[in-house]
Amino acid sequence: GELESILGSYVFRDDIICGLSSCRQPHDKGYLIKAKNGRETNIGKDCGKKHFGVDFETLRKTYDRDLLNATRRQRLSEFQNRAQHYLDTIDQLRHGPIGADWVYKTSRALVSKAAAMPDQIVQCISGMAKARDGAITRQRQATAQEVDDIEARENRRIQRPHYVPESIGMLQGLAVLFPENDLRQILAVDLIPKLVQLKQLSVDTVRELDLATWDKWAAGIDRKLEQAKAAIHEGTLLLRKSNLAQLDKLLEEQADRKIFGHFISKLPV
């Protein structure tokens, strides 16, 4: 018979037998269809195409698209209901005593030339963040024995005095300065304005293309919030007095030590 409409679709864990008498093959995915003679049956995707041709494919594509859009609207509606809760959560994350706003502003001061931070500190921490490596090293003059060893190992003459890097500590919490953990970007630029927009969105009438974009964005909200929490935690590790005090050994100028010491003294812990 001729095809009238697709009534539903299904995916089963176990294969079921195709409802077409000429087929009877087992399949796990398919559609519930209604023929023009009023008969209803289940049919696999490939069978439908074979028996009903273009009619089936056209109806199937429309059905699948409508179902996808309905699913997306349902999901988006659930996110919309939670939008204010998300905004409240972000508000708490931002404004705690050691919240995102404080962590962002204070950690950025360490890598900002505008913040009256000693150049050596700015260069050192920026370089470490770029290399994604918290090892604190300084150059020291190599001993005569060390230079002899290097010459023997590399089979060449080395000019003296020769300097070698020496590890003097490990800076914790550097990840708060990685680009993907930029708290201002995650919270103030991305999540907050979009959540405010989502609250006002007419989910039932949003266009198909915009619906797909919103659906994809909303699916990432929880991950971004977890990322922000992890970045705040990293920031609290970075901004501990004992952690940053390790860098004092790198400063040669008394004036720089005084400026950096003042910055550290204002940290809560």
Side-chain angles (χ1 to χ4, degrees), residues 87-99:
L87 285 166
D88 294 343
T89 303
I90 291 169
D91 204 51
Q92 286 163 358
L93 281 180
R94 285 183 64 191
H95 300 122
I98 302 184

Side-chain angles (χ1 to χ4, degrees), residues 231-251:
I232 293 167
H233 175 68
E234 289 289 328
T236 60
L237 297 178
L238 178 68
L239 298 167
R240 292 179 92 95
K241 291 178 179 174
S242 57
N243 188 45
L244 289 175
Q246 299 178 92
L247 299 172
D248 185 62
K249 302 186 191 86
L250 302 177
L251 296 171

Side-chain angles (χ1 to χ4, degrees), residues 123-213:
Q123 282 163 10
C124 170
I125 298 182
S126 301
M128 289 161 103
K130 202 170 176 185
R132 303 171 91 89
D133 180 3
I136 305 164
T137 57
R138 67 174 168 193
Q139 299 292 324
R140 67 160 175 83
Q141 195 170 327
T143 63
Q145 182 61 56
E146 282 174 324
V147 178
D148 289 345
D149 290 347
I150 295 167
E151 285 181 336
R153 196 166 60 239
E154 298 184 6
N155 198 17
R156 65 186 178 97
R157 293 284 299 149
I158 283 175
Q159 201 176 356
R160 298 158 201 241
H162 179 68
Y163 292 87
V164 289
E166 173 187 44
S167 176
I168 55 168
M170 181 60 90
L171 198 67
Q172 300 291 314
L174 197 60
V176 73
L177 296 170
F178 296 169
E180 68 271 21
N181 293 330
D182 183 327
L183 284 162
R184 183 179 167 275
Q185 187 61 42
I186 297 170
L187 300 176
V189 176
D190 183 13
L191 285 178
I192 294 170
K194 294 280 280 187
L195 283 165
V196 169
Q197 217 182 325
L198 177 58
K199 275 176 69 179
Q200 267 121 52
L201 192 71
S202 170
V203 174
D204 290 338
T205 57
V206 66
R207 288 182 328 162
E208 189 173 354
L209 199 64
D210 296 333
L211 186 62
T213 308

